[in-house]
Amino acid sequence: MAQETLLEVREVDVFYGGIQALWDVGLQVREGEIVALIGANGSGKSTLLDAISGLIRPAKGKIYFQGEDITDLDPFKIVSLGVSQVPEGRRIFPELSVLDNLMLGSYNRSARPKKGQNLEMVYELFPVLKERRKQTAKTLSGGQQQMLALGRGLMSSPKLMLIDEMSLGLAPIVINEVYKALREMRQKGITILFVEQSVRRSLDEADRAYIMEAGRIVLQGNSQDLCEEEEVKKAYFGICD
Amino acid sequence: MSGLATPIIMGFLLGGLYALIALGLSLVFGVMKLINLAHGDLVLLSTYTAYVVMTKLGLDPLLSLVFSIPLLFVIGFVLQRYVLKRASLISMEAPLIITFGLSLVLQNLFQIIWSPMSRGLQASYATSSFGLFGASVPLVYLFDFVIALVVMLFLHLFLQHTYLGKAINAASQDRRAAQLMGIDTNHVYALAFAIALTTAAVAGVFLGLTFPFTPQSGVSFLIIAFGVIIIGGLGSMLGTFIGGIILGLAQTLGGHFFGAAAQMLVVYGIVLFVLAIRPKGIFGR
């Protein structure tokens, strides 16, 4: 199967205030892949996701989705093209019910007709959200909030899910659950680019990975190759046995 | 006892009008974190529209809502979408200063067109009274109260139960997350501002039926609206309602005990008191 390039980030520079946060960043995600974006705090991973989502404008470079230039599109338009971001820190709407949170995920016009169908898919993936659909979102546990954030992201009928800090602050058992959901999403034809600090886990779960450092992509490749890469071994000692 | 019944009933009912005036200010602040310093003057724009409809067309002032609701809706939308949104890119304060400028422009415009004279809206129902517990209360106060309840109920249902209402809610809780949900926050903000000014349009007509007004009245009602919000707390419809009633009662009871000259002093005293002991308001989150 010839995999088509779904997302292409080309030579992107981003400035925050006067400070350069991304330097000449390039990245590709092909249809059906699970790709990990790995790096320490402040290495620019979230900035890159925000640039893709249209929340910040690159000073230089281009971003293409399905061949279309989305560099200067408004965030809501990028969502309606099929790029959904699950932001760092979940950012659920605390005062709204679980169901309302999910429904807002389908706000864009292209997803609205499919919201019933999407809701069923989300409930199937995370049955706990169905049980708690009437609860105020802030009453959920951290793990359930991450499931809600993922579910809400799925409600927009995405082709590509950008997931920031996939497992930060979650209990190991919950981490297993969200990664299981990730694999099930892929089964349903959704391509995934996720950010993770834990190198070991990311390389286990992803087909390919990009490693970022100080706003630059410093390494990329298949997960298996990266594991054997001398530099990764050095930087992240003993991660792949 | 019957001596107190009049100020208590009047103050209570008047509170409805005050809540209605504050509603739009509260909504704009709650959603966009913007203090619209022209709110009182925009309320007054609707009052003067009613005045024109009454004097020039000879129609009931209430019918002016047919004009003033769409007018203020459009003003709200355009102001937010094309002026304040752009100004917000300059700095946090720029939109605030623009609303202050708009307030001055409107005040002077009112003065040029309608002169500094005090005006009033007249309607048959505005002058009649009704008796309750031995008190004689102007009928229009009851209208103020009922219409305030109706408008608040509508707004509440709209925000809680419609897709757009929930989007406004979401955008006010977390703008970034709302953008990531595919919500066009600029559009949603403009609609929220437009809806806030729609409530201002309704408030304006009832204000004119209840009190005489001058081109400067907008400022005094802005201050009352601030008081309502400070007492009730931002982001709570119930708080706005209770805040309005407390202010209404403070004014009429203050007038009853200390004379008309001191009634607003009592109002401001209570606002200061609440600020001192509970700065986020009684129902503030």
Side-chain angles (χ1 to χ4, degrees):
Chain A
M1 186 178 86
Q3 286 180 316
E4 284 190 37
T5 302
L6 197 59
L7 174 78
E8 183 174 7
V9 177
R10 213 185 277 170
E11 296 168 7
V12 160
D13 282 359
V14 167
F15 288 84
Y16 256 130
I19 298 155
Q20 189 158 1
L22 295 182
W23 306 71
D24 201 30
V25 166
L27 168 147
Q28 281 187 14
V29 180
R30 291 188 287 267
E31 221 171 300
E33 279 189 312
I34 296 186
V35 177
L37 190 58
I38 309 167
N41 247 339
S43 56
K45 301 165 298 185
S46 300
T47 308
L48 178 53
L49 293 196
D50 283 354
I52 297 168
S53 287
L55 291 172
I56 19 172
R57 296 263 142 90
K60 191 192 119 246
K62 291 278 178 202
I63 300 167
Y64 298 91
F65 181 70
Q66 294 188 303
E68 187 182 337
D69 182 354
I70 60 165
T71 321
D72 294 320
L73 290 187
D74 282 324
F76 74 96
K77 285 188 183 137
I78 294 174
V79 174
S80 68
L81 289 176
V83 183
S84 177
Q85 189 194 134
V86 178
E88 186 182 354
R90 341 262 186 250
R91 311 284 290 247
I92 54 166
F93 303 113
E95 306 293 338
L96 297 180
S97 72
V98 168
L99 181 60
D100 280 348
N101 264 278
L102 290 173
M103 282 312 190
L104 280 165
S106 298
Y107 194 78
N108 80 80
R109 296 206 181 280
S110 51
R112 262 190 230 195
K114 286 180 249 165
K115 66 174 185 248
Q117 199 182 321
N118 286 339
L119 188 64
E120 249 170 65
M121 172 182 72
V122 170
Y123 282 165
E124 206 179 294
L125 220 46
F126 306 110
V128 67
L129 296 182
K130 188 175 188 176
E131 280 163 41
R132 315 220 155 187
R133 63 187 180 277
K134 290 190 177 141
Q135 257 172 260
T136 312
K138 67 180 174 193
T139 63
L140 297 182
S141 71
Q144 290 163 353
Q145 290 191 8
Q146 177 68 331
M147 291 175 202
L148 177 57
L150 288 167
R152 192 180 60 170
L154 284 169
M155 290 295 289
S156 66
S157 297
K159 299 185 181 92
L160 171 67
M161 284 269 274
L162 311 171
I163 306 172
D164 205 350
E165 297 297 2
M166 182 72 185
S167 64
L168 190 70
L170 298 181
I173 190 167
V174 182
I175 296 179
N176 287 337
E177 221 172 312
V178 292
Y179 273 111
K180 183 167 152 264
L182 208 69
R183 293 189 291 268
E184 284 172 32
M185 287 179 208
R186 190 231 290 260
Q187 298 270 301
K188 294 183 195 296
I190 298 165
T191 306
I192 290 155
L193 173 64
F194 72 96
V195 161
E196 183 66 274
Q197 296 200 15
S198 148
V199 184
R200 176 70 202 264
R201 188 75 201 231
S202 318
L203 294 181
D204 275 355
E205 299 285 349
D207 307 317
R208 292 190 303 118
Y210 289 83
I211 298 180
M212 289 191 80
E213 232 176 72
R216 292 184 170 85
I217 304 257
V218 289
L219 267 177
Q220 55 172 299
N222 291 328
S223 297
Q224 200 48 48
D225 298 345
L226 279 174
C227 269
E228 283 148 22
E229 187 84 32
E230 210 47 45
E231 289 178 63
V232 180
K233 277 190 189 160
K234 252 188 278 170
Y236 305 96
F237 179 69
I239 46 154
C240 319
D241 325 285
Chain B
M1 188 56 214
S2 75
L4 268 182
T6 302
I8 287 175
I9 293 169
M10 279 180 73
F12 192 81
L13 297 179
L14 192 58
L17 179 65
Y18 288 171
L20 187 56
I21 293 170
L23 199 56
L25 188 71
S26 175
L27 182 64
V28 166
F29 186 87
V31 176
M32 281 150 276
K33 311 290 173 267
L34 168 76
I35 295 169
N36 174 17
L37 291 174
H39 185 74
D41 307 285
L42 288 162
V43 168
L44 208 56
L45 180 62
S46 162
T47 318
Y48 274 112
T49 307
Y51 179 75
V52 170
V53 164
M54 185 189 80
T55 53
K56 299 283 186 251
L57 303 179
L59 295 172
D60 190 294
L62 278 179
L63 290 175
S64 70
L65 285 172
V66 177
F67 305 107
S68 56
I69 287 179
L71 175 71
L72 280 154
F73 187 91
V74 171
I75 290 177
F77 189 91
V78 170
L79 186 66
Q80 171 60 31
R81 189 78 174 83
Y82 300 103
V83 182
L84 300 178
K85 163 68 187 52
R86 287 176 193 202
S88 71
L89 300 176
I90 303 169
S91 76
M92 290 261 293
E93 300 79 23
L96 179 80
I97 293 165
I98 286 178
T99 64
F100 181 59
L102 180 64
S103 167
L104 294 178
V105 168
L106 284 173
Q107 278 174 47
N108 286 286
L109 209 61
F110 296 155
Q111 197 149 324
I112 291 166
I113 302 176
W114 291 291
S115 87
M117 262 176 63
S118 176
R119 313 275 182 184
L121 299 180
Q122 283 97 41
S124 56
Y125 46 83
T127 46
S128 47
S129 300
F130 69 102
L132 190 68
F133 302 120
S136 172
V137 181
L139 194 56
V140 71
Y141 279 50
L142 185 64
F143 288 172
D144 290 343
F145 190 80
V146 171
I147 203 75
L149 276 183
V150 170
V151 170
M152 291 179 125
L153 188 68
F154 262 99
L155 189 60
H156 178 77
L157 292 176
F158 167 75
L159 289 174
Q160 297 299 317
H161 296 288
T162 66
Y163 223 159
L164 176 62
K166 285 173 188 173
I168 289 176
N169 222 324
S172 73
Q173 287 178 41
D174 189 335
R175 167 162 202 197
R176 235 179 81 99
Q179 285 179 303
L180 290 176
M181 293 309 104
I183 294 170
D184 180 355
T185 48
N186 289 332
H187 188 70
V188 163
Y189 282 0
L191 285 174
F193 210 114
I195 290 162
L197 289 198
T198 306
T199 69
V202 179
V205 176
F206 283 90
L207 184 158
L209 287 167
T210 312
F211 297 115
F213 52 92
T214 72
Q216 261 71 47
S217 295
V219 180
S220 21
F221 286 103
L222 176 71
I223 292 171
I224 285 179
F226 273 138
V228 169
I229 293 176
I230 287 167
I231 291 176
L234 275 163
S236 155
M237 193 99 62
L238 181 67
T240 305
F241 187 56
I242 306 278
I245 288 172
I246 291 176
L247 269 200
L249 283 173
Q251 186 182 338
T252 52
L253 287 174
H256 180 78
F257 288 114
F258 307 109
Q263 58 180 9
M264 288 320 281
L265 194 65
V266 175
V267 170
Y268 300 143
I270 286 185
V271 171
L272 270 180
F273 180 70
V274 171
L275 266 182
I277 57 159
R278 194 173 156 82
K280 52 182 180 168
I282 296 169
F283 292 87
R285 286 199 290 247

